[in-house]
Amino acid sequence: AVQPGEIAGLLGPNGAGKTTTISMILGILEPTAGSVSILGKDLATHRQEVLAQVNFAAVYAQLPANMTVWQNLYVFGSLYKVIGLKSKIKKLLDQFSLTTYEHMKAGALSSGEQTRLMLAKAMINEPKLLVLDEPTASLAPSAAREIRAAIRAYANEHRAGVLWTSHNMHEVEVVCNRVLFLSHGKILLAGNPNTLPAEHGKENLEELFIAVAHEKLLSE
């Protein structure tokens, strides 16, 4: 579960099930058991209504390269039926430092610029659930810090839930209110990223992540 205004970190080694979980939340994969509920409504039976309140960004889900920055935001904003779309795009271009590139094709952007464009797209419909898979992976440290602050401010202002995956444990400690450790498709641990390591005999979140990855938790 992700609560309104909360940034929850979904953590785990490669193969733990993070992307599969995200794909189920986004309605791309159908769960073999259980259900996905967003804003109190079942995804399977209220798919269109629910997904209108969700958005997503990941470095592997790039936007159409032959469309400009502005065109990408306009097309996706139109799909979400955003009211006052042109003014919304202007605000996002400014927020993510993309105004200079608005007429440039997305494929010509640097990896960091493409990441900022994907995050702008992810906020175009002011989603109540924002799913971010390694959102700052290709950003310079200063840019990553600004993006983390922007996402934190967005969650607070809109009371939106954010599900955030990352292999950067320092980033997770800074940005996440709560973390969920996945192992073999199951939630192994959950709690406050600043106190959870000590509860399991580890000095920091990175040590705990390594222990989970190697299945060597001292508490077990």
Side-chain angles (χ1 to χ4, degrees):
V2 181
Q3 303 303 321
E6 178 184 48
I7 301 178
L10 186 64
L11 311 179
N14 292 332
K18 301 186 299 298
T19 302
T20 300
T21 300
I22 286 173
S23 295
M24 289 188 291
I25 292 169
L26 296 174
I28 298 168
L29 292 177
E30 185 176 345
T32 52
S35 61
V36 177
S37 178
I38 299 174
L39 297 172
K41 295 187 178 180
D42 183 75
L43 175 60
T45 54
H46 297 85
R47 181 185 177 89
Q48 186 172 353
E49 181 182 356
V50 166
L51 291 181
Q53 301 294 321
V54 179
N55 215 317
F56 167 70
V59 291
Y60 54 79
Q62 296 186 356
L63 300 179
N66 63 336
M67 287 172 27
T68 67
V69 167
W70 193 92
Q71 287 169 340
N72 266 290
L73 294 177
Y74 186 81
V75 167
F76 280 95
S78 298
L79 290 171
Y80 279 101
K81 300 179 181 178
V82 174
I83 297 171
L85 179 55
K86 290 183 179 180
S87 61
K88 179 68 175 178
I89 291 173
K90 186 177 184 301
K91 179 181 177 182
L92 287 169
L93 289 172
D94 181 60
Q95 180 180 351
F96 288 97
S97 303
L98 290 168
T99 303
T100 305
Y101 310 103
E102 66 176 308
H103 300 303
M104 186 180 291
K105 289 190 176 182
L109 300 175
S110 70
S111 58
E113 290 158 359
Q114 288 185 9
T115 296
R116 298 205 304 273
L117 175 57
M118 286 185 286
L119 287 166
K121 187 278 298 182
M123 293 186 183
I124 192 80
N125 62 321
E126 298 187 359
K128 287 298 183 182
L129 176 62
L130 185 58
V131 181
L132 304 174
D133 199 351
E134 299 276 358
T136 63
S138 59
L139 296 176
S142 59
R145 184 171 61 246
E146 291 175 4
I147 291 300
R148 288 195 295 267
I151 293 169
R152 194 182 302 113
Y154 177 83
N156 290 335
E157 180 183 350
H158 295 273
R159 298 298 295 159
V162 179
L163 186 64
W164 183 307
T165 79
S166 177
H167 286 107
N168 183 337
M169 293 303 103
H170 170 69
E171 175 174 82
V172 170
E173 288 173 333
V174 169
V175 78
C176 293
N177 309 107
R178 187 166 54 95
V179 292
L180 307 164
F181 274 99
L182 279 184
S183 180
H184 302 292
K186 297 182 182 298
I187 296 176
L188 184 65
L189 301 172
N192 186 311
N194 298 304
T195 60
L196 193 62
E199 294 170 14
H200 295 275
K202 305 300 178 186
E203 289 190 10
N204 52 51
L205 201 63
E206 186 168 328
E207 276 196 13
L208 184 60
F209 182 94
I210 293 170
V212 170
H214 291 88
E215 302 177 12
K216 292 180 179 178
L217 280 180
L218 295 181
S219 61
E220 293 186 341

